[in-house]
Amino acid sequence: MSSDNPSLTPEPGHLYVVATPIGNLADITERALSLLSKVDSIACEDTRTTGAMLTRLEIRRPLFAYHDHNEKRAADSIVAKLQAGESVALVSDAGTPAISDPGFRVARECQRLGLPVVPVPGACALTSLLSVSGLPTDAFFFAGFLPPKSAARRRFFEEYRDFKHTIALYESTHRIEKMTAELEDLLGPERIVCIGRELTKKFETIRSGPISQIREQMSTASKKGEFVVLIAPANYEL
Ligand code: SAM
């Protein structure tokens, strides 16, 4: 890509919402690298996590925290920087900001005030798995993380049992076993699912098929890591 491509250089007063890798550092884009190394400052969920990534990428820019617990205050501070003509990049710990990650509030504030917000797309666990799953992708419903309480999870599965599009969920290592049991119990053993673990990392595992078969395969496999779960519409066959 030409080095005089204007999209590689941050403009004053612009917020860049920059996707970062979900495991494989080589998934950083050329545009992300260029903008992250040139913006006035970078807002990130965890300065240590992003600091470590930037060190590996040999980027040194001022970092400040933007996370769930200071989102309102930090959004105001980003807006003040933008209004003073600074360029700011927003990143999360991994993947695309605002997708089950902080970012929504500052984007909303910028849209409300007419400040330019620029997407710098890249890795996202959800779209990575969808793209290889073999499940319908023409339309899907991303529900993020389900609540931890069993009753609320049961209600979700009962409500969406007959949903006509693919359903996508994020799940942690602590609850993946619980989720696969819920899927089999509440949606039936033949329901087609796709479960992606540790996408783009060394122990990446992707399994598509009836939930009873996937559970069987997973019973002896490691449940450590990060998971994306896709549920096919009822009666879908692979
Ligand atoms: N913003 C991120 C994105 O664009 O995918 C998602 C952040 S969310 C806090 C973290 C969850 O995303 C994990 O618990 C897991 O469900 C999913 N996830 C993130 N990285 C993943 C990976 N490499 N493999 C599988 N799932 C992943």
Side-chain angles (χ1 to χ4, degrees):
M1 195 184 288
S2 152
S3 59
D4 56 12
N5 181 332
S7 75
L8 297 178
T9 304
E11 290 190 58
H14 284 49
L15 175 66
Y16 295 88
V17 179
V18 181
T20 57
I22 56 169
N24 187 330
L25 197 63
D27 288 336
I28 191 84
T29 66
E30 183 175 351
R31 190 158 166 242
L33 277 177
S34 178
L35 290 167
L36 289 174
S37 58
K38 293 179 190 159
V39 284
D40 291 310
S41 59
I42 300 173
C44 57
E45 252 188 296
D46 182 323
T47 51
R48 274 180 306 179
T49 304
T50 297
M53 179 192 73
L54 294 178
T55 300
R56 291 176 69 193
L57 295 171
E58 298 179 356
I59 292 174
R60 285 172 65 88
R61 302 307 303 145
L63 299 181
F64 64 97
Y66 176 93
H67 48 62
D68 285 340
H69 305 294
N70 75 349
E71 213 178 343
K72 169 85 182 74
R73 193 163 28 89
D76 291 345
S77 140
I78 293 173
V79 164
K81 287 177 193 292
L82 297 171
Q83 287 174 328
E86 292 181 29
S87 57
V88 179
L90 173 72
V91 301
S92 61
D93 282 353
T96 302
I99 304 301
S100 287
D101 264 342
F104 157 76
R105 196 183 285 268
V106 68
R108 183 180 65 177
E109 206 50 17
C110 288
Q111 296 294 357
R112 199 176 66 77
L113 297 169
L115 296 168
V117 195
V118 183
V120 183
C124 176
L126 161 71
T127 51
S128 300
L129 188 63
L130 271 172
S131 69
V132 298
S133 66
L135 270 56
T137 52
D138 51 337
F140 62 88
F141 168 41
F142 174 51
F145 288 96
L146 290 188
K149 293 240 169 75
S150 299
R153 296 165 73 89
R154 171 177 282 272
R155 271 199 303 279
F156 175 88
F157 288 121
E158 284 170 355
E159 186 176 351
Y160 288 98
R161 189 173 8 220
D162 299 320
F163 192 65
K164 61 180 184 171
H165 302 298
T166 296
I167 296 170
L169 298 166
Y170 280 167
E171 192 52 281
S172 74
T173 191
H174 312 294
R175 273 188 284 273
I176 189 66
E177 221 165 343
K178 177 178 162 106
M179 178 173 283
T180 54
E182 290 166 334
L183 288 171
E184 185 164 1
D185 291 350
L186 300 170
L187 305 182
E190 297 306 317
R191 189 62 165 256
I192 302 295
V193 298
C194 176
I195 300 186
R197 166 181 171 249
E198 295 287 86
L199 298 169
T200 78
K201 302 186 201 178
K202 187 173 175 193
F203 296 108
E204 175 181 85
T205 319
I206 297 165
R207 296 185 162 96
S208 276
I211 181 61
S212 53
Q213 193 181 305
I214 304 288
R215 267 187 91 191
E216 173 78 32
Q217 291 170 8
M218 286 176 71
S219 63
T220 50
S222 168
K223 269 90 157 179
K224 284 207 186 113
E226 302 188 280
F227 293 85
V228 183
V229 176
L230 305 177
I231 307 165
N235 303 321
Y236 180 74
E237 289 177 22
L238 259 185

